[in-house]
Amino acid sequence: MKPSDLSDDILRLVSPARLWQRLRHLHVEHKGLKLLSLALAILLFIVSRQPVSDVRLFNVPLEYRGQSSSVEISGDAEQTVSVRVRGPRDVVRNLMPSQLSVVADLSHKEPGERVVQLHADDVTLPDNSIRVTQIEPASIRLMLEPKMKKRVAIKAQFMGQLPADLEMYHATVEPSEVELEGPQSQLNKVNLVLTETVNLSGRDKDFQATVDVETPHRSLRVLTPSPIKLSIEIGERRSLKRFGDIPVTWPDPPAGGRLLTKTVEVELYGTHSLIESLRAKDLYVEVKTINWSNGAGVAEPTVTLPETAAKRIEVRNVFPKEVRLKR
């Protein structure tokens, strides 16, 4: 047999067509699983043959875990770190910082200034083919403080302007206080919290709003269930006005008694239109001396307003505050 004939026989034996025919008639158990295993092996081989690259990822989230329920992180603590990773080029180049996380273990840490070391094992990775080569910073410094609770008042916060002829009479917050929780040093600085801003523009009557409160530091938490109910009372603009030379009446003088102070000035505060409609003659000022002792003395005058004005106007001042009397 010629060598060329032998080569032709070998080629016919191992040709793809004959090989496929023989495989088709070959009895193999669990063909699907074995084909899957073969495919995975090929994939791993391809990945393992990829070039290896180093990549630095910035702003990787830092998580604090394991701290005691009686302590709290105070002040500004690190929230992100940078991590250098090494692995197959196509894998590491497509990584996003949010796919990783670094855990800072605060177990057994007592209150005070503390240092926490960060290790490669503290990094959660999305792929086993990647390894961590560096973390920056390699350690973090933070302050741990006792955790405490405190109740503080709520103050409403506004923006915008009401129409010129209107004003806000009252702003009622319900509840009037909230309970806060946080680091002791931060909580000691807080005596009240503000609501989120409520816009007064375009308002011309009473209204209600539901709001949340703003804490002055991000480490403080509001424990009181939200939202907060805010009730606003709006009415006509109010003003002050003085009425002079109002006669003083003494309805129960003793025998021979006389007033040394004949007139007073009265300062009123209330809705502008109603105050402007009043006249001095509409006011009645008197002193009563049922228990007044003999001789010269003083008494406090009482101002009576017209019935239509009594609920919307208040007496702010009387000048003088006391009138002189003599028997």
Side-chain angles (χ1 to χ4, degrees):
M1 180 180 294
K2 296 180 180 180
S4 59
D5 295 337
L6 180 59
S7 298
D8 292 341
D9 291 339
I10 293 173
L11 287 173
R12 283 195 298 272
L13 182 62
V14 297
S15 66
R18 291 180 64 84
L19 182 60
W20 175 247
Q21 290 293 330
R22 289 178 177 274
L23 285 174
R24 287 181 60 189
H25 294 89
L26 186 65
H27 177 69
V28 178
E29 293 184 357
H30 305 297
K31 293 181 181 179
L33 291 176
K34 293 186 177 181
L35 287 174
L36 179 61
S37 300
L38 178 61
L40 289 174
I42 295 172
L43 179 61
L44 290 174
F45 176 77
I46 293 172
V47 171
S48 67
R49 299 294 294 174
Q50 286 186 22
V52 174
S53 293
D54 285 326
V55 173
R56 180 180 293 279
L57 298 172
F58 295 92
N59 298 321
V60 176
L62 179 61
E63 299 180 20
Y64 295 95
R65 296 182 187 173
Q67 69 193 70
S68 167
S69 59
S70 62
V71 299
E72 188 88 6
I73 298 174
S74 176
D76 295 325
E78 296 283 353
Q79 299 299 313
T80 62
V81 294
S82 67
V83 178
R84 181 178 290 277
V85 295
R86 182 176 177 82
R89 182 175 60 190
D90 291 349
V91 176
V92 296
R93 286 188 175 180
N94 291 322
L95 277 179
M96 300 295 291
S98 59
Q99 293 177 271
L100 286 70
S101 65
V102 181
V103 176
D105 186 10
L106 303 184
S107 300
H108 312 299
K109 296 290 186 182
E110 298 294 329
E113 188 173 355
R114 296 290 176 254
V115 176
V116 181
Q117 301 293 335
L118 302 178
H119 307 283
D121 292 343
D122 298 324
V123 182
T124 302
L125 299 169
D127 194 304
N128 291 333
S129 64
I130 306 169
R131 65 184 182 90
V132 176
T133 60
Q134 187 181 28
I135 302 175
E136 278 192 24
S139 64
I140 55 173
R141 187 179 297 273
L142 48 79
M143 177 66 71
L144 294 178
E145 291 188 27
K147 183 190 296 184
M148 65 175 292
K149 297 178 182 179
K150 182 180 180 181
R151 297 195 68 84
V152 297
I154 305 173
K155 182 180 179 181
Q157 185 175 206
F158 300 99
M159 64 176 291
Q161 297 293 328
L162 293 171
D165 60 336
L166 299 177
E167 68 173 81
M168 182 172 61
Y169 289 179
H170 301 287
T172 306
V173 182
E174 186 182 349
S176 60
E177 293 181 331
V178 291
E179 185 175 35
L180 301 180
E181 180 183 64
Q184 186 177 42
S185 65
Q186 294 295 336
L187 212 48
N188 285 340
K189 301 175 184 177
V190 182
N191 294 315
L192 63 83
V193 291
L194 299 176
T195 67
E196 57 187 321
T197 304
V198 176
N199 194 351
L200 296 177
S201 299
R203 301 285 188 176
D204 59 2
K205 58 184 178 181
D206 299 351
F207 70 95
Q208 292 184 338
T210 54
V211 293
D212 282 315
V213 295
E214 300 177 353
T215 56
H217 196 276
R218 65 186 181 187
S219 65
L220 300 179
R221 296 173 299 283
V222 179
L223 300 182
T224 304
S226 59
I228 307 299
K229 182 179 178 182
L230 182 60
S231 300
I232 311 299
E233 183 182 350
I234 294 174
E236 182 185 348
R237 181 171 59 87
R238 293 171 292 186
S239 60
L240 279 171
K241 186 175 181 179
R242 277 196 182 189
F243 296 81
D245 297 325
I246 309 297
V248 179
T249 301
W250 190 4
D252 57 348
R258 60 191 177 93
L259 282 167
L260 299 180
T261 305
K262 302 294 186 181
T263 63
V264 295
E265 285 189 13
V266 177
E267 185 179 65
L268 302 181
Y269 177 72
T271 54
H272 182 73
S273 61
L274 187 54
I275 279 188
E276 290 300 317
S277 69
L278 288 178
R279 299 292 178 264
K281 63 183 180 61
D282 298 322
L283 309 181
Y284 178 73
V285 179
E286 66 177 2
V287 290
K288 293 183 178 181
T289 56
I290 297 175
N291 298 318
W292 186 62
S293 60
N294 292 334
V298 294
E300 185 175 339
T302 301
V303 180
T304 302
L305 300 174
E307 186 176 349
T308 56
K311 293 183 178 179
R312 291 187 288 169
I313 292 180
E314 62 178 276
V315 178
R316 281 289 178 88
N317 286 296
V318 178
F319 307 98
K321 293 185 179 298
E322 294 179 327
V323 298
R324 296 177 64 235
L325 310 171
K326 186 174 183 179
R327 182 173 179 177

